Amino acid sequence: MKKISRLSLTQKLLVAVALPLLAVAIILGFVVNQQLNQAIPALIDNAGKRQVEARADEISRWITGYRNWISVLAKDERLVEDVPLASHREWLEKRYPPGGTIESLFFTDASGATLTHAGVNLQIAERPYFKALVTDGTQDSLLSDPVISMVSGLPTAIVADTVFDERGNRAGLLGMTVSMAAVSDITSDINVGEGSYGWLIDSQGQVIAHPVEEYRMSLNYTDADQQGYQGLDALSQQILSGTAGSGEITMPSGEQTMLMWSPVEGTSWVVGVTVPITAFTTVTNSLLQSLLLAGGLLLILLLVVVAYAARRSLAPIKHTASAMADIAKGKGDLTRRLEAKTQDEIGDLAHGFNAFVERMQSTLQEVRQNARTVLSDASDMADGTHELSSRTEQAAANLQETSASMEQIHSTVAHTSQASEQANSLALEAASASERGTESMSQMEAKMAAISDSANKISNIIGLIDSIAFQTNILALNASVEAARAGEQGRGFAVVASEVRTLASRSASAAHDIRALIDMSVSHSKEGSDIVKAAAERMNEIRHSVTQVSDVIAEIAAGAREQTAGIQQVNTAVAEMDMMTQQNAAMVSQSATLATNMRDNARSLDQLMSEFVLNEGGASATALHYTSTHKQRAATGTALPQTPSRQPQAAPQKHAVAEWEEF
């Protein structure tokens, strides 16, 4: 089955046509052989018997003619005249036909004295045929079995007839010797097939005529088994029975032969034919070979015609298979079409293949166009994602710096809160001192110096608070900017930054007021030595002022505590933003990798599509746009355009500076 599956369709068609035809030829040959084997032997047998009968009849007529001729001559009255025997020579010479098959013509008187036409005298009184015709008188005419002639040395037969006198007494005989060469010629004309030959035997089974000269008068069928024949002795009894028939024997060479015979009427002879058994099959084999040769030539001619027709008919299938193989290898020309010349199944196959390729071409064109569009978008996405990844990493680094700065701000605000608590304590002490001012006016002058020192310290602290408020305001502005950059996720952080900025503004305002009061206190301290006397009157004012200072410092301490809590929240939010930014950076990096893979896959798909030969249409513009865009980017080294959310940075900075200057 594997060998059959490897055959081409044309070869399978030839095998499908050749095998049934070969089977039909074999069956037909077998049937013809059987029919011929049944008919030919019968035909040969009939033909042989007819030829044998015809030759027997011919020999009979030939012998009968001579016997009739002798019978007529024997009635001549001159043969019974009482004259010397030699006087009959002239009569014999005149009646002897020269140059024929008659070897001699002779006359014998009642005593057996014989005279031939040649003048030869013989004595035949003891010969059997003389006794039968003259002495015993058992026969009136006679045909003897052939014997070797002493004159010619060839087989001859004697034809004789009795000569009667006027009284009806046997006065002698008239006879002639007939050469058997003519009989051999007659039997030689028998032809029943290749290897067949005719023969003639006498009443004793002696061969008279045979195509092989050495067998003449030397072979006797009655004892032929001694010479190597098998079955001829027994068959010779049937042959000499006087009836026609046939039988088989084995030749000395071992060849099987069939003998057909027929008795010669008017004689004791039998004419027959020997036919080899192979002659019966030779005709059959010859006819069968002729039929097989003709059948083989017709089969070859038919196969040539079928092969030619199959090649012409199956050529579109071969072209279709070749085109499909090219498509399967990825080297297919989808603009190629098959020519449908017929309206049969092959034509339907060509139409179907053309429709399939047309559909496949349109589909692949759309796939190529989409692949190139995806490749372009993937390249843009990959470039944008890489840019976004770098910017996100930079934002993460900046956020880490912001977190560190917030830690520093938190530490500074904590110190400010502690300083505010100390200022509140001092203000309380100042209030207590103003209440005891009436009791310790004597100590006022000394204490004024301490107050002046404390005022200087407070001035420094207030300067520090002022600086903290300034830095807090800047940090709040930066936080607002970062919150604006963060977008939706930084909205809460923007609210906190606004509150921090408000607190920073209030702290700066309070510090400004405190600085004015401290300056005033310093001025009063310097003038304290001059206005000690008026201290009593001013004490109430001082106590009132100290009370206000205490309230302001309390407010500063409360604001500092609130600022510490807010900065703590800002620090927590910044930490969370830092973690989220790190996660976003990882996700952006993963997206960049995926976009790169997507671009590589799209490029591979485009290369795969480019292996097919398509009728370029709308996909060319996309491919041209993609090629030109990326060549331009590769040449200039530019990235994708930035999104609008990354642009507005300058305006918030100007607004923040204006607000700070206004503050």
Side-chain angles (χ1 to χ4, degrees), residues 49 51-67 143-146 157 159 180 182-184 186-187 190 198-203 206 208-209 238-245 260-273:
K49 290 180 178 181
Q51 287 196 44
V52 169
E53 291 175 356
R55 297 298 179 266
D57 182 66
E58 184 178 356
I59 294 173
S60 176
R61 287 186 283 106
W62 180 72
I63 292 295
T64 301
Y66 282 113
R67 296 184 70 172
L143 173 65
S144 68
D145 290 334
V159 178
M180 292 291 100
V183 176
S184 296
I186 294 173
T187 58
I190 300 175
W199 45 264
L200 179 69
I201 61 175
D202 61 12
S203 61
Q206 189 74 28
I208 302 173
Q238 300 180 22
I239 296 174
L240 298 175
S241 64
T243 59
M260 291 177 285
W261 65 86
S262 178
V264 179
E265 186 179 357
T267 69
S268 60
W269 301 344
V270 178
V271 65
V273 62

Side-chain angles (χ1 to χ4, degrees), residues 29-84:
F30 177 76
V31 172
V32 170
N33 186 40
Q34 293 296 323
Q35 295 294 327
L36 290 177
N37 286 334
Q38 293 178 3
I40 295 299
L43 292 175
I44 294 177
D45 185 65
N46 293 332
K49 290 180 178 181
R50 286 196 298 270
Q51 287 196 44
V52 169
E53 291 175 356
R55 297 298 179 266
D57 182 66
E58 184 178 356
I59 294 173
S60 176
R61 287 186 283 106
W62 180 72
I63 292 295
T64 301
Y66 282 113
R67 296 184 70 172
N68 291 335
W69 182 63
I70 287 294
S71 178
V72 171
L73 291 179
K75 290 180 172 61
D76 195 333
E77 296 178 352
R78 284 172 290 185
L79 294 177
V80 296
E81 292 179 354
D82 186 14
V83 294

Side-chain angles (χ1 to χ4, degrees), residues 77-330:
E77 296 178 352
R78 284 172 290 185
L79 294 177
V80 296
E81 292 179 354
D82 186 14
V83 294
L85 183 63
S87 62
H88 293 293
R89 179 179 179 182
E90 181 180 359
W91 185 88
L92 292 173
E93 288 180 352
K94 289 181 179 179
R95 281 140 179 89
Y96 173 75
T101 58
I102 299 175
E103 184 176 302
S104 65
L105 180 65
F106 62 90
F107 173 73
T108 303
D109 60 12
S111 63
T114 303
L115 176 67
T116 67
H117 72 282
V120 178
N121 293 314
L122 299 173
Q123 180 55 251
I124 61 171
E126 298 300 327
R127 295 190 180 179
Y129 62 88
F130 180 79
K131 291 180 179 181
L133 294 175
V134 179
T135 304
D136 298 334
T138 58
Q139 298 181 21
D140 293 338
S141 63
L142 179 143
L143 173 65
S144 68
D145 290 334
V147 295
I148 298 299
S149 174
M150 293 182 297
V151 177
S152 62
L154 298 175
T156 57
I158 295 176
V159 178
D161 201 277
T162 305
V163 176
F164 293 94
D165 57 14
E166 296 177 355
R167 295 186 295 269
N169 297 323
R170 299 177 185 271
L173 60 88
L174 180 66
M176 60 181 173
T177 59
V178 180
S179 174
M180 292 291 100
V183 176
S184 296
D185 293 339
I186 294 173
T187 58
S188 297
D189 292 337
I190 300 175
N191 184 10
V192 183
E194 184 178 359
S196 64
Y197 58 88
W199 45 264
L200 179 69
I201 61 175
D202 61 12
S203 61
Q204 303 300 320
Q206 189 74 28
V207 174
I208 302 173
H210 197 280
V212 181
E213 186 176 355
E214 63 182 14
Y215 288 162
R216 299 172 186 172
M217 305 304 294
S218 63
L219 177 63
N220 194 307
Y221 279 8
T222 59
D223 60 355
D225 287 357
Q226 297 178 3
Q227 300 183 25
Y229 293 89
Q230 297 180 16
L232 186 55
D233 288 355
L235 190 63
S236 64
Q237 301 301 322
Q238 300 180 22
I239 296 174
L240 298 175
S241 64
T243 59
S246 62
E248 292 185 9
I249 64 169
T250 301
M251 303 295 288
S253 62
E255 182 182 14
Q256 295 289 329
T257 59
M258 175 174 284
L259 273 61
M260 291 177 285
W261 65 86
S262 178
V264 179
E265 186 179 357
T267 69
S268 60
W269 301 344
V270 178
V271 65
V273 62
T274 300
V275 183
I277 297 298
T278 55
F280 292 90
T281 59
T282 301
V283 177
T284 302
N285 295 333
S286 178
L287 291 175
L288 188 59
Q289 289 176 1
S290 300
L291 289 175
L292 291 178
L293 179 60
L297 293 176
L298 289 176
L299 178 61
I300 294 174
L301 179 61
L302 180 61
L303 291 179
V304 170
V305 173
V306 171
Y308 176 76
R311 280 185 179 276
R312 291 293 303 273
S313 299
L314 300 179
I317 297 179
K318 187 174 182 180
H319 295 162
T320 304
S322 176
M324 295 294 288
D326 292 340
I327 294 174
K329 294 177 182 178

Side-chain angles (χ1 to χ4, degrees), residues 327-388:
I327 294 174
K329 294 177 182 178
K331 305 294 183 182
D333 184 1
L334 297 183
T335 61
R336 178 180 179 183
R337 297 294 182 271
L338 297 179
E339 183 178 0
K341 297 181 179 179
T342 61
Q343 300 298 325
D344 53 6
E345 289 80 358
I346 304 299
D348 294 339
L349 176 62
H351 288 298
F353 177 79
N354 292 337
F356 165 73
V357 172
E358 185 71 26
R359 177 60 179 170
M360 188 174 181
Q361 180 183 7
S362 61
T363 302
L364 290 180
Q365 285 177 348
E366 294 179 3
V367 171
R368 174 183 286 180
Q369 183 176 359
N370 293 334
R372 289 177 174 175
T373 303
V374 169
L375 178 59
S376 178
D377 296 341
S379 299
D380 295 341
M381 184 185 296
D383 295 339
T385 305
H386 283 299
E387 180 69 19
L388 179 61

